[in-house]
Amino acid sequence: MAIELPITPVPARHEKHEKHEEPVPRVRRAPASPGPGDARRPVYLVQQGVWNMSLESMPLAAGYLKSVALADDELRAAFDIEIVNYRGGLTRTQMANELYGRPLPDVLAFSVLGWNFETFGALAQTYKQLYPDGWVIFGGTHVANQAERVFRLYPEVDVVVNGEGELIFRDLLRARRAGVPKGELDRITGISFQTATGEVRTTADRERIDDLDVIPSPVLTGAIDLTDDEGRFRYDVALIETNRGCPYKCSFCYWGGATGQRMRAFSRARLRQELEVYAKHKVHTIVACDSNFGLLPIDEEFVDDLIEIREQYGYPRALETSWAKNKSKTFFSIVRKMKQAGMRSSFTLALQTLSGDALATMNRKNMKVNAWEDLAEWLEQEGLDCYAELIWGAPGETVESFMTGYDKLARHVSRIAVYPLLLLPNTEYADKKDGYGIISVRGDNDDFEYVLAHDTMTFAENQEMARFMFWARVVAENAVLRYIWIGLREFADVTQSQVLRDLDRWVSGCDDEAAVVLKEIAIRSIGGSDVLGEAIGYLYGYPQAKRLLRKWWDENILPRAKPEAAGVLDAFFGYDLLTQPIYHPDDAEGPAEDLPVVRVRGEEYFLRRDVRLDYDVPAIHAALRAGEEPPLEPRPVTLDLYYRTGADAVAASTNHEVIVHFMGMTRDEVLRSAAASGTDELPAAG
């Protein structure tokens, strides 16, 4: 019996996903608060996401601070605490006008990371001009234990929080309420501050929070506004933290150095309640902000609850996280359960390098993480999404060793996230910079130290690899092309790195007008500019960019295919372009494609009906992933493709874990990704 998805048309007003282009984020404004010195003094908790998207990034860190403060009756009576959440891409002038165009805060606290350090420093300078007696607090992994530098660069900052900030922030507000001078905070552990004479004083370390449930949930208490003015979930994804700590101390990473190695977990009951709130708000994707999800038995309990809640409410539909480096029985059990339930995720192989010399300097030499090939093969045969992570520029790595490792990895996993090595505060590479001969430079638009050369890498080699990373991240990591890679492995004598380098050379020498944009972006990327989103958005949303890719493919890559497989390989490429997210920027040529929008089990999709393919690409691709030999002769099929709406919110970002959920899917793929709803007896196809 023929079946179809249970779809219902959506009113025409939804046929084009609306973009929100406010110059600044909308925040819930409280009634005008009294000024400094009066009752209920304003306190602002400021966060800023890294991506310039129409949707906000969820301010979880600020939410924790607010929820702890509001749990104290005296603080709740004394202060009017508000979260101010900015998206990436805003200018300092925009932020200053918005932030100080409201009642001035008595306490201004910033959640600081490398991409907003300088901006928040500038906002602190402006604040102290307006209100010299107010307090400025900096917290976050980027500034913890870095007080000497912070105060030297921004003397307007009064306090730097070292370590977990929730209880420290509560104590600071108590001190402010009690009238303790900002230069006399010696009784509060876990901070650095400036005395009246300008001396930098650091108090004793504060013990990490053993029972994480003493931090009230900002989701359950309402400390974070979850919906916009129209009642819709306002963030790109929902964040949840199931545990804290990391059992490793990798040389490049914040986690082990700044958050500590001892693992502590939130309670199962609390996490389940948060999941239920997200489910009721129809949140598609949950992102667990953990260092090694799948390492602990309680992680499987979390997934059990997630699946059960999804079956009850239809949401959430995907879980993204930093998966455990060493894959245990718990991990495999979780993966099997998620597959059986149709719960989507991109499973991570966080390898960082395949070079033995580089592994040694990373402090990862003895980690089982690099026994990865069997795992990659298993995930491939199970048909599960998987991506890998590599870092270019680690001491001990060379261009030759990196490219050898990249192509070895690409034979199993095509979506490889390649990141340049950054020297982060509180990491071993930063502490041993001179020992490795590292030469670095601070970023133009952030406070990260970019590695330019060291004992095993020259300046010229680093520039060469910066160019390669640009194309690897745009085209492979962000899935601009995704089906072709397994086809190239099977049907052409060409490696993934060769294809990406060929595209670089071809675009550089191309006189087509459509190539000018990519040439300019690629050049800027070498200088460290954050331009990947521009290139990704261009290739996703502009017809001339797709025509450019087709021209390159026809001229340089397709001729390398085995003659008997050229048709299949070309069909893979065409399917890649066809299934890219539905994204049409306002300045793209021609009108947006007029596709109907339907609901499938509560989720909205653009529907492209009756797509005729000369080859059954999904079936051939699935057979190759399972290690089978599919037929290569044409076998025409007609299918419908479903594209989740809302891609305009993330298409031009570099959030590759999220964008894959907007790719075109067949009916069967949609069914597997959606929770069962009612009976399996679906209406006949019409």
Side-chain angles (χ1 to χ4, degrees):
M1 179 179 67
I3 62 173
E4 72 170 36
L5 295 173
I7 60 177
T8 51
V10 175
R13 65 186 177 86
H14 289 299
E15 289 186 3
K16 182 172 180 180
H17 188 78
E18 295 179 359
K19 294 177 68 175
H20 302 285
E21 295 294 345
E22 301 90 2
V24 293
R26 292 176 296 182
V27 296
R28 180 176 294 175
R29 291 179 178 273
S33 302
D38 298 328
R40 296 213 73 213
R41 290 169 284 176
V43 173
Y44 297 158
L45 299 167
V46 185
Q47 276 198 230
Q48 183 189 30
V50 65
W51 292 303
N52 184 9
M53 303 184 299
S54 56
L55 294 177
E56 301 171 56
S57 295
M58 187 173 170
L60 184 60
Y64 283 136
L65 300 176
K66 181 177 178 179
S67 65
V68 167
L70 292 180
D72 184 300
D73 292 340
E74 293 182 347
L75 294 182
R76 188 170 63 252
F79 297 106
D80 180 16
I81 303 172
E82 182 177 357
I83 295 173
V84 183
N85 188 34
Y86 293 108
R87 58 180 170 83
L90 295 176
T91 67
R92 295 173 188 176
T93 303
Q94 286 176 305
M95 295 168 70
N97 276 286
E98 197 278 337
L99 187 60
Y100 305 128
R102 57 175 75 199
L104 284 176
D106 194 49
V107 176
L108 184 60
F110 294 94
S111 181
V112 185
L113 288 159
W115 61 77
N116 56 37
F117 174 76
E118 293 182 353
T119 293
F120 287 171
L123 291 175
Q125 291 173 332
T126 302
Y127 171 71
K128 281 305 181 81
Q129 295 174 57
L130 295 167
Y131 183 31
D133 294 331
W135 282 15
V136 174
I137 302 171
F138 269 21
T141 52
H142 195 79
V143 295
N145 307 308
Q146 305 295 316
E148 291 280 355
R149 178 172 183 266
V150 172
F151 294 145
R152 183 177 69 253
L153 294 175
Y154 300 109
E156 296 81 7
V157 175
D158 298 303
V159 180
V160 171
V161 175
N162 301 317
E164 289 174 303
E166 291 89 359
L167 301 185
I168 295 174
F169 178 68
R170 179 200 62 190
D171 291 349
L172 286 169
L173 287 187
R174 287 174 174 174
R176 180 62 168 170
R177 176 182 174 276
V180 177
K182 61 188 176 184
E184 300 177 16
L185 298 171
D186 305 78
R187 293 186 178 182
I188 299 178
T189 58
I191 65 170
S192 299
F193 64 95
Q194 299 185 82
T195 66
T197 60
E199 175 193 356
V200 176
R201 189 169 296 172
T202 296
T203 63
D205 292 340
R206 180 169 296 215
E207 291 293 323
R208 300 195 182 277
I209 303 171
D210 280 321
D211 179 8
L212 294 180
D213 282 353
V214 303
I215 306 169
S217 167
V219 175
L220 302 179
T221 61
I224 295 178
D225 291 336
L226 296 181
T227 57
D228 61 18
D229 293 341
E230 298 179 12
R232 297 173 301 190
F233 189 73
R234 68 187 305 156
Y235 307 111
D236 57 335
V237 296
L239 302 183
I240 196 167
E241 191 177 29
T242 76
N243 63 62
R244 290 184 179 178
C246 179
Y248 310 114
K249 199 171 180 65
C250 300
S251 302
F252 54 83
C253 184
Y254 273 137
W255 245 314
T259 67
Q261 294 182 272
R262 185 165 55 85
M263 302 287 287
R264 296 146 295 142
F266 290 93
S267 68
R268 180 177 185 177
R270 168 191 172 129
L271 296 173
R272 183 183 177 93
Q273 287 180 297
E274 291 184 343
L275 288 174
E276 287 179 339
V277 170
Y278 290 144
K280 291 175 182 178
H281 283 89
K282 297 184 177 181
V283 171
H284 181 279
T285 302
I286 299 288
V287 176
C289 307
D290 304 336
S291 63
N292 284 271
F293 188 83
L295 181 68
L296 305 175
I298 56 174
D299 297 337
E300 187 168 359
E301 295 175 353
F302 175 84
V303 170
D304 288 338
D305 290 339
L306 177 64
I307 292 171
E308 184 178 324
I309 289 168
R310 202 280 300 264
E311 292 306 310
Q312 180 179 356
Y313 296 100
Y315 294 90
R317 306 239 172 128
L319 170 68
E320 300 295 347
T321 187
S322 295
W323 289 92
K325 281 69 176 170
N326 291 336
K327 304 303 190 284
S328 63
K329 291 181 180 179
T330 299
F331 169 81
F332 284 100
S333 180
I334 287 173
V335 172
R336 290 189 184 96
K337 287 181 177 181
M338 290 184 65
K339 180 187 178 183
Q340 184 177 5
M343 180 66 68
R344 298 185 66 184
S345 183
S346 298
F347 298 101
T348 319
L349 296 175
L351 303 181
Q352 314 311 348
T353 182
L354 274 69
S355 161
D357 291 339
L359 283 170
T361 70
M362 285 184 178
N363 287 334
R364 293 166 70 92
K365 186 73 173 180
N366 297 320
M367 291 172 62
K368 297 177 182 177
V369 64
N370 291 286
W372 57 271
E373 290 183 86
D374 290 342
L375 173 60
E377 183 177 349
W378 181 77
L379 290 169
E380 185 78 10
Q381 291 179 354
E382 291 290 316
L384 296 168
D385 289 336
C386 177
Y387 76 92
E389 293 177 345
L390 293 176
I391 293 175
W392 159 251
E397 190 83 80
T398 66
V399 173
E400 181 181 3
S401 69
F402 183 86
M403 298 308 292
T404 298
Y406 182 91
D407 283 327
K408 181 179 180 180
L409 180 57
R411 287 196 291 270
H412 300 273
V413 182
S414 61
R415 194 151 62 96
I416 304 173
V418 183
Y419 304 115
L421 178 65
L422 305 179
L423 295 186
L424 304 179
N426 306 304
T427 65
E428 186 172 311
Y429 277 153
D431 294 340
K432 296 183 177 179
K433 176 180 176 180
D434 293 340
Y436 293 118
I438 293 176
I439 299 171
S440 63
V441 64
R442 292 274 174 187
D444 294 318
N445 302 306
D446 56 45
D447 191 53
F448 295 122
E449 276 192 84
Y450 291 80
V451 175
L452 300 180
H454 52 60
D455 291 343
T456 61
M457 177 184 75
T458 66
F459 277 98
E461 289 169 338
N462 189 54
Q463 289 186 320
E464 172 193 348
M465 289 302 297
R467 189 93 178 193
F468 172 78
M469 278 190 293
F470 169 78
W471 292 104
R473 297 200 63 189
V474 169
V475 176
E477 174 192 335
N478 281 277
V480 169
L481 298 174
R482 56 194 179 119
Y483 275 78
I484 64 165
W485 304 113
I486 194 169
L488 289 170
R489 294 200 299 266
E490 297 293 328
F491 305 135
D493 187 21
V494 57
T495 67
Q496 187 161 314
S497 70
Q498 288 172 336
V499 173
L500 294 167
R501 285 175 155 179
D502 182 276
L503 178 59
D504 179 29
R505 288 190 296 268
W506 187 87
V507 169
S508 297
C510 183
D511 57 4
D512 191 304
E513 290 184 3
V516 173
V517 174
L518 290 173
K519 290 180 189 179
E520 189 271 335
I521 297 175
I523 291 172
R524 282 192 284 135
S525 74
I526 297 176
S529 297
D530 185 13
V531 295
L532 294 177
E534 294 180 42
I536 295 164
Y538 183 61
L539 291 169
Y540 275 150
Y542 292 80
Q544 64 268 34
K546 299 179 192 295
R547 290 195 295 269
L548 186 74
L549 284 177
R550 165 56 74 178
K551 185 177 180 182
W552 158 73
W553 176 261
D554 289 343
E555 290 181 3
N556 278 33
I557 304 302
L558 191 57
R560 304 186 189 187
K562 298 174 183 177
E564 68 274 15
V568 169
L569 192 55
D570 194 44
F572 278 15
F573 178 80
Y575 197 72
D576 273 340
L577 298 186
L578 181 66
T579 56
Q580 287 181 353
I582 299 298
Y583 172 57
H584 188 85
D586 293 337
D587 59 342
E589 64 181 45
E593 188 175 4
D594 186 17
L595 294 175
V597 176
V598 298
R599 285 193 181 95
V600 180
R601 294 177 176 173
E603 188 84 34
E604 291 186 3
Y605 295 87
F606 291 107
L607 174 59
R608 183 176 277 141
R609 285 192 179 275
D610 300 328
V611 177
R612 187 183 187 280
L613 303 176
D614 292 333
Y615 295 83
D616 190 347
V617 173
I620 296 172
H621 189 265
L624 290 174
R625 291 189 67 179
E628 302 169 0
E629 292 188 13
L632 300 182
E633 65 275 7
R635 293 187 178 181
V637 296
T638 301
L639 46 78
D640 294 341
L641 292 175
Y642 295 79
Y643 305 76
R644 187 180 156 210
T645 62
D648 55 311
V650 295
S653 75
T654 57
N655 193 341
H656 66 99
E657 294 172 322
V658 173
I659 193 60
V660 294
H661 298 307
F662 293 87
M663 300 291 180
M665 294 185 287
T666 65
R667 180 189 63 186
D668 290 342
E669 289 170 332
V670 171
L671 279 172
R672 286 196 297 269
S673 69
S677 176
T679 177
D680 289 335
E681 294 289 331
L682 303 180

